[in-house]
Amino acid sequence: MATLLHRLGRFSFRRRGRVVALWLLLLALLGGAAAAFSGQTTDQFEMPGTESQRAMDSLKKEFPQASGGTGSIVIAAPKGEKLTPADVAPVVEQAARVDGVTAAVDPFKARSVSPDGRYALVQVQFDTGAQEVTDAQRADFEKAGADAKGVQVEHGGEVMTNKVEVGSTEILGVLVAAVVLVITFGSLVAAGMTLLNALIGVGAGMAGLYALSGAIELTSTAPILALMLGLAVGIDYSLFITSRYRNFLTEGVEPEEAAGRAAGTAGSAVVFAGATVVIALAGLSVVGIPFLTVMGLAAAGTVALAVLVALTLLPAILGFVGQRVLPRKQRDAKQDKQRDGEEPGDGGSAAKEAFGFRWGRTVLRARIPLLLVGVVGLGAVALPTQDMRLALPDAGTAASDSPARKAYDLTSEGFGEGFNGRLLAVVSGDDAKSTGAAVKQVAAEIKKTDGVLTVAPPQLNKEGTTALLAVIPKEGPTASATEDAVNDIREHVAAVKGAEVSLTGMTALGIDVSEQLADALPVYLLLVVGLSILLLMLVFRSILVPIKAALGFLLTVGATFGITVAVFQQGHLADLVGLDTSGPLVSFLPILLIGILFGLAMDYEVFLVSRMREDYVHGAEASQATVNGLGHNGRVVTAAALIMTSVFGGFVFMEDPIIKSIGFALAVGVLVDAFVVRMTLVPAAMSLLGRAAWWLPRPLQRALPNLDIEGEKLQERPVPAQREREDVRV
C-alpha cells in the first residue's frame, strides 16, 4: 500500500500541471451537469413495509382525492370575542381558489370551532403530495386570509414544511478552520492550499450529488450532511498529508520524494481512515429506510472523493508550492544550515520538547488515574441517555417565528395539542356494505381507547369501499401518551372483521420510523463495528488495538448521546444553541450519529496509532512508540479535531432542528473522542498493554496481507539529497 501510494504521490507531484487541470476540468463538468440535471430535494419520509406506509399507498389507489398533502388555516378572534361565519367564509373561499386545492372545509360545517367560539380550524386538501406542492402554490396558500380584518390568521400543516437550505452560518466553520490551519502550520501558503484542496473536493462531490438529484429522490438533509462531512474530512486528510510532507522537508528530503513519502505513510492512514467512514455511512443502507440510505450513500461518496483528492490533487499542489509550505523562519534556517554545511533536519531535541511529547509522558505516568477518571466521567455524562425519546420532528420544534410554528401554537392554544397530531384510520372493504359496517365498529373501538379525544365522521370514496376516519389524540404528536394510543388503537382494530384497517398520518409514521430503526440498530452496529474491526486488524496487524478502538467509541457515543439529550430533549443550556423548544430527538439521529462518529473516531485512531505502530515497527520500545505517536501526530489530531468541531458547529446555527441537532451532536462527539478518548485514554491503555498491543496469532499473521501503512519498505529506499532548486519540470 505504502509503495503504491508513494508512486502515486510522486507522479502527481511530477505531473502537477496535468493533475490540477484534470481536477478543474472534472469540477467544471460536474458543475455543468448539476446545473443541467439537478432536481428538487424532498422532505418526504417513506417507510416501506410499515402499516402507515401501506395505508398511504392504499389511499393513493383507492381514495386519491384524500391522499394529497394537507394544510391548515387557524383563525382566532381577539380575546373575549367570538368568530362568526362572516369572519371565516372569505378565508375559506380564498383557500379554495388556490391552484391545486381540491377542498377547503368550512369549520362551522365541519364543527371545527373551539367551544368558546374564539378559534376555527380550516382543513385544506391538495391534489398532490406535500412535497409536490410548488413554491407558488405555497405562497398563494399563505395569502389566503392575509387581508382579513380583526382576526389572526396562521397557516400550517404538511405543505408548510420549510425546505432545508445551506446558509451563511456554515461559512463561520470554514473561517474558524482557516484560522486553525494558519496557527497549526504557521504559514498562510500551507493553510490556504490545504483549505483550497478540501474545497475543490467538496465542490466536486456536491456538484456530482446535485447532478444525480434529477434521477434519484434526494432528501433535503442529504446534501447538508454530505457538505458537513466532506468539508470536515477533506480539510483533515489534507492537513495530515501536508503535515507529514513538511516533516520530510525539514529532514532534508527532496520535495518530490517528500510528497511521495507523505502519500505513502500519511496517505495510507488517510485511505484506511476514509474507508472506515465510508463503511459506516454505506452501512446505513442495511436499515432498509430509503431516505436514510440516500443520506448515507451521498455522504459516503463525498468522503471517498475527499480521499481521492487528498492523494492526487494535494501532491500536485505541493509541487507548485514547494518549500513555501514551510514558515519563512524555517525556510531561512534551512538555508543557513545548508550554507554552513549542516544537516537540514529539524533538530530532535526541539521536537521532543513539543507539547505532544510532554503530554504523552504525562499520560504514561498517570495512566491508571486517567483511565479511571475518564471512564467514570464519560459514564456519568452518558446517564441522560437512559431517558432519550425519539420521534420525527413536527412544527412544535420549528423556529418560533416560522409560519408553521405560529400555526402549531395557535392550534394548541385554541383546541389542544392533539389537533396537531391528527391520525388517519383507513378502512377498506370489498363492498360498500361491509365497509360501512366495519367503519362503525372501528369508530367505536377507537373512541374507547385511552388517549383519544375524538373521532371525526367518516369520509368515503365514490364506491364506498374505502373510508377515512380522522382521529384526534389528547396529547401532541410526539407525546408518549400519543404513542401508546397509536399502539392501542392498532391492537383494538385488529379484531375488526370484514375490512382491512390501517392507521397512518405523520404521527403514526414517526412511530413506525422509530420502531424500525430500533430493530435495525443492533444489526447495523454488528455490521459496521465488525467490518471496521476487521479493517483495523488489517491495518495494525493486532487483535487488541481494534477492540480497544471499538470500546473507546462506545464511551464516545454514550457521552455524546447524554449531552445531546440534556440539551435538546431536557432543555439544559438550550439558549446557547438557539433552540426555541426542547423535545424528543429526531428518530434517525442515533443510528446516523453512530455511523458517522464511528468513522470519525477511527480517523483519529488511525492517525495516532499508525504513528505508534510506525515507530514500533522501526525498533522503538512500545512505551516510547506511544509517546512518539502523540508527539508527532498529537498536534495534527488536535488541529483536525478543532477543524471538524468548527465545521460541524457552524451547522448548529441553522434554524432547522434536525440539522441543528446533528451538527451539535457531531461537534460534541468529535471533541469527546479526540481529546478524552484518543488523546488520553488510548495512549494510557496502549502503555498498559505494552508489547501485547501488537500481538497477532501466528495463523493470522500468515493469513493477513501486510499492507505496510507504516512505510517500512520506504525506509529501505535511499533518501535523495535536497536539490538546490525545488522546481521540477512537468
Side-chain angles (χ1 to χ4, degrees):
M1 174 65 74
T3 303
L4 176 63
L5 294 179
H6 172 267
R7 292 173 182 169
L8 179 62
R10 292 196 62 170
F11 174 83
S12 298
F13 186 99
R14 194 163 52 248
R15 307 296 186 193
R16 51 188 177 271
R18 298 176 187 178
V19 172
V20 171
L22 183 62
W23 273 108
L24 292 178
L25 176 62
L26 178 62
L27 181 62
L29 291 175
L30 289 174
F37 304 115
S38 63
Q40 292 289 329
T41 59
T42 177
D43 290 313
Q44 187 172 359
F45 295 99
E46 291 190 357
M47 295 289 297
T50 61
E51 178 178 326
S52 55
Q53 189 63 51
R54 287 195 301 270
M56 289 182 176
D57 294 340
S58 175
L59 279 178
K60 291 179 182 178
K61 181 180 179 181
E62 305 293 340
F63 206 163
Q65 60 268 38
S67 65
T70 59
S72 60
I73 303 176
V74 194
I75 307 172
K79 191 173 182 179
E81 299 183 17
K82 293 184 178 182
L83 291 172
T84 65
D87 295 324
V88 173
V91 180
V92 176
E93 292 174 2
Q94 292 175 32
R97 289 197 297 267
V98 173
D99 183 34
V101 169
T102 59
V105 183
D106 189 322
F108 283 96
K109 295 179 180 178
R111 293 182 295 179
S112 54
V113 179
S114 61
D116 61 1
R118 184 186 171 193
Y119 302 88
L121 191 62
V122 181
Q123 293 292 344
V124 181
Q125 183 72 51
F126 284 78
D127 59 3
T128 59
Q131 300 307 315
E132 285 74 41
V133 173
T134 65
D135 291 339
Q137 288 176 299
R138 193 175 291 108
D140 290 342
F141 174 67
E142 284 192 81
K143 292 177 183 177
D147 57 352
K149 305 296 184 182
V151 295
Q152 181 182 357
V153 180
E154 302 293 348
H155 303 77
E158 298 173 4
V159 299
M160 291 303 295
T161 302
N162 291 326
K163 293 286 185 182
V164 181
E165 297 180 353
V166 179
S168 59
T169 56
E170 297 80 57
I171 300 176
L172 294 175
V174 178
L175 293 177
V176 174
V179 172
V180 173
L181 287 172
V182 171
I183 295 174
T184 302
F185 287 133
S187 165
L188 287 174
V189 173
M193 55 151 281
T194 301
L195 190 59
L196 175 63
N197 188 78
L199 290 175
I200 291 176
V202 79
M206 294 298 293
L209 184 59
Y210 277 110
L212 292 173
S213 64
I216 61 175
E217 188 174 69
L218 196 66
T219 58
S220 57
T221 50
I224 306 296
L225 180 63
L227 174 63
M228 193 186 299
L229 286 176
L231 270 176
V233 301
I235 295 173
D236 278 6
Y237 295 163
S238 297
L239 163 67
F240 194 56
I241 294 176
T242 302
S243 178
R244 185 61 66 90
Y245 172 77
R246 283 158 48 103
N247 289 342
F248 283 123
L249 284 183
T250 58
E251 292 172 4
V253 181
E254 177 194 6
E256 181 181 327
E257 178 65 16
R261 295 199 171 210
T265 53
S268 296
V270 164
V271 168
F272 287 100
T276 58
V277 180
V278 170
I279 287 173
L281 292 169
L284 291 171
S285 59
V286 305
V287 179
I289 300 176
F291 74 85
L292 204 54
T293 298
V294 170
M295 289 174 65
L297 292 178
T302 306
V303 171
L305 194 59
V307 172
L308 186 59
V309 167
L311 295 175
T312 56
L313 180 61
L314 180 60
I317 296 178
L318 289 173
F320 286 107
V321 174
Q323 297 283 351
R324 292 191 300 277
V325 76
L326 296 173
R328 180 176 295 277
K329 290 182 179 179
Q330 204 167 4
R331 297 201 305 270
D332 294 342
K334 281 187 61 180
Q335 292 174 359
D336 292 341
K337 286 186 177 182
Q338 288 174 350
R339 283 195 299 267
D340 296 338
E342 299 178 15
E343 292 294 328
D346 60 349
S349 59
K352 291 181 181 178
E353 296 303 317
F355 173 76
F357 287 95
R358 298 197 302 272
W359 176 246
R361 290 192 292 269
T362 301
V363 170
L364 262 63
R365 286 195 298 266
R367 57 193 178 189
I368 300 296
L370 285 174
L371 279 171
L372 290 175
V373 172
V375 172
V376 173
L378 292 179
V381 172
L383 288 177
T385 305
Q386 60 189 343
D387 299 323
M388 182 170 61
R389 293 189 59 251
L390 304 173
L392 281 182
D394 56 47
T397 58
S400 58
D401 58 348
S402 64
R405 175 63 182 276
K406 291 178 180 179
Y408 183 98
D409 291 342
L410 196 60
T411 301
S412 299
E413 179 184 315
F415 299 92
E417 288 203 20
F419 276 78
N420 288 300
R422 187 178 66 151
L423 303 167
L424 296 175
V426 182
V427 184
S428 299
D430 295 330
D431 52 54
K433 183 177 180 181
S434 61
T435 302
V439 166
K440 294 179 181 179
Q441 188 177 354
V442 168
E445 291 290 343
I446 294 177
K447 285 179 181 178
K448 65 183 183 182
T449 302
D450 291 339
V452 172
L453 180 64
T454 186
V455 179
Q459 301 178 48
L460 295 168
N461 64 355
K462 294 179 180 180
E463 296 80 11
T465 55
T466 298
L468 196 63
L469 291 169
V471 181
I472 308 299
K474 292 180 180 178
E475 302 292 337
T478 60
S480 57
T482 302
E483 181 178 350
D484 293 338
V486 168
N487 293 327
D488 290 343
I489 289 172
R490 286 174 169 170
E491 182 179 349
H492 294 164
V493 301
V496 173
K497 305 296 183 182
E500 181 180 350
V501 185
S502 302
L503 197 64
T504 188
M506 289 305 298
T507 301
L509 182 63
I511 294 170
D512 288 342
V513 168
S514 300
E515 291 179 352
Q516 186 162 330
L517 287 170
D519 293 340
L521 188 57
V523 178
Y524 176 69
L525 274 175
L526 181 62
L527 174 68
V528 172
V529 176
L531 288 177
S532 296
I533 286 178
L534 290 176
L535 186 62
L536 291 178
M537 193 182 300
L538 283 172
V539 173
F540 297 125
R541 300 185 67 79
S542 165
I543 294 289
L544 297 180
V545 169
I547 294 175
K548 169 197 60 62
L551 293 176
F553 164 71
L554 294 178
L555 290 174
T556 295
V557 78
T560 303
F561 281 152
I563 296 172
T564 305
V565 168
V567 174
F568 282 83
Q569 181 177 313
Q570 298 175 350
H572 302 298
L573 304 178
D575 291 341
L576 294 180
V577 298
L579 186 67
D580 295 319
T581 305
S582 58
L585 303 183
V586 61
S587 55
F588 57 82
L589 178 61
I591 199 167
L592 187 66
L593 190 62
I594 285 172
I596 296 173
L597 272 186
F598 190 86
L600 299 182
M602 295 307 103
D603 274 6
Y604 300 132
E605 181 77 13
V606 171
F607 289 167
L608 280 175
V609 182
S610 64
R611 187 56 191 255
M612 298 177 190
R613 167 80 178 169
E614 184 177 336
D615 281 20
Y616 179 78
V617 167
H618 295 154
E621 290 294 328
S623 58
Q624 186 59 46
T626 300
V627 173
N628 290 350
L630 282 175
H632 289 296
N633 283 352
R635 180 182 178 89
V636 177
V637 169
T638 298
L642 292 176
I643 288 170
M644 276 202 177
T645 301
S646 63
V647 172
F648 294 148
F651 291 86
V652 175
F653 299 101
M654 293 188 69
E655 291 187 356
D656 184 83
I658 297 178
I659 302 301
K660 184 187 292 287
S661 63
I662 292 175
F664 175 85
L666 287 175
V668 169
V670 166
L671 286 176
V672 170
D673 192 82
F675 296 109
V676 180
V677 176
R678 308 300 157 187
M679 293 283 289
T680 305
L681 300 185
V682 164
M686 292 291 291
S687 66
L688 277 178
L689 293 172
R691 294 176 60 88
W694 308 112
W695 172 76
L696 187 68
R698 288 187 181 277
L700 285 178
Q701 287 184 14
R702 292 191 295 268
L704 295 179
N706 187 359
L707 301 176
D708 187 30
I709 72 163
E710 304 85 12
E712 187 175 5
K713 294 181 180 178
L714 297 181
Q715 291 293 110
E716 302 170 359
R717 297 170 55 91
V719 179
Q722 179 71 46
R723 296 181 181 177
E724 293 183 4
R725 291 186 60 195
E726 63 186 58
D727 295 332
V728 179
R729 288 187 181 273
V730 179

